Amino acid sequence: MKLESQTLPNFESVTSPYASVGVDLTFIPEFKESLQDKATFFFKITFTDWERKKGQTKPENQRASFFAGRYAAKEALIKALDGYRLFQKPDLSVNYSEIEIRNDDYGRPYFRFYGNFETYLNNLKPNSIRLSISHTGDYAFSEVLLIF
């Protein structure tokens, strides 16, 4: 069945306030493999110095989960940022190491931003960015909610 264009909702007009959600699921064993590959540049280009140092303080059996969860969070954020731009050309070139995930004193994750990515977000002026990261078995999952 072919849908006529006038029957499709108008996704191009977004009114304020609005929300955008991004999710990502990563396979932890891939991160474990990468951690064992001494020649990989993946961690240097994907994580901040702080994240790499923090990951090295984790017990060896938790490092892959740590990095997989943070990678999922970065991917979920990018998806949330792109989600509200449905049917529009992408306007963001991402440097993953400009996105950092830390935890507050109670273990709740939050974002810190640097460089061009920080400037991009400051121009967007989101009202709120919420982050959740979960791990189970071989998977890390993250969800990001942006409110504009």
Side-chain angles (χ1 to χ4, degrees):
M1 174 178 166
K2 184 178 178 193
L3 292 174
E4 297 298 322
S5 62
Q6 60 264 33
T7 64
L8 294 175
N10 184 1
F11 290 110
E12 295 178 23
S13 63
V14 177
T15 58
S16 239
Y18 58 91
S20 185
V21 176
V23 299
D24 195 69
L25 181 71
T26 58
F27 189 54
I28 295 170
E30 289 178 351
F31 285 80
K32 188 173 183 178
E33 258 182 52
S34 292
L35 281 167
Q36 294 170 352
D37 181 359
K38 301 301 180 201
T40 186
F41 286 96
F42 174 75
F43 294 94
K44 185 162 179 65
I45 63 173
T46 307
F47 301 99
T48 65
D49 288 339
W50 184 90
E51 287 171 317
R52 290 192 313 274
K53 287 175 187 170
K54 183 71 171 177
Q56 291 305 313
T57 68
K58 300 288 182 185
E60 192 170 341
N61 65 341
Q62 294 177 12
R63 289 181 191 158
S65 293
F66 174 85
F67 287 112
R70 273 151 174 75
Y71 183 79
K74 294 176 186 210
E75 283 286 311
L77 174 64
I78 292 163
K79 291 172 183 176
L81 284 168
D82 208 37
Y84 80 95
R85 298 184 47 76
L86 194 60
F87 296 109
Q88 297 177 43
K89 185 177 178 182
D91 71 344
L92 175 63
S93 177
V94 178
N95 179 348
Y96 284 77
S97 64
E98 292 181 341
I99 304 167
E100 183 174 86
I101 295 94
R102 292 196 178 200
N103 295 85
D104 71 8
D105 293 339
Y106 302 97
R108 294 178 294 243
Y110 66 92
F111 288 108
R112 290 184 74 174
F113 305 108
Y114 304 97
N116 292 330
F117 200 86
E118 181 179 26
T119 301
Y120 179 81
L121 275 179
N122 285 339
N123 290 334
L124 281 180
K125 297 180 174 102
N127 291 324
S128 180
I129 303 174
R130 296 292 180 248
L131 167 62
S132 179
I133 303 172
S134 292
H135 304 84
T136 183
D138 284 342
Y139 295 93
F141 174 82
S142 185
E143 180 176 41
V144 171
L145 173 65
L146 292 176
I147 306 288
F148 292 91

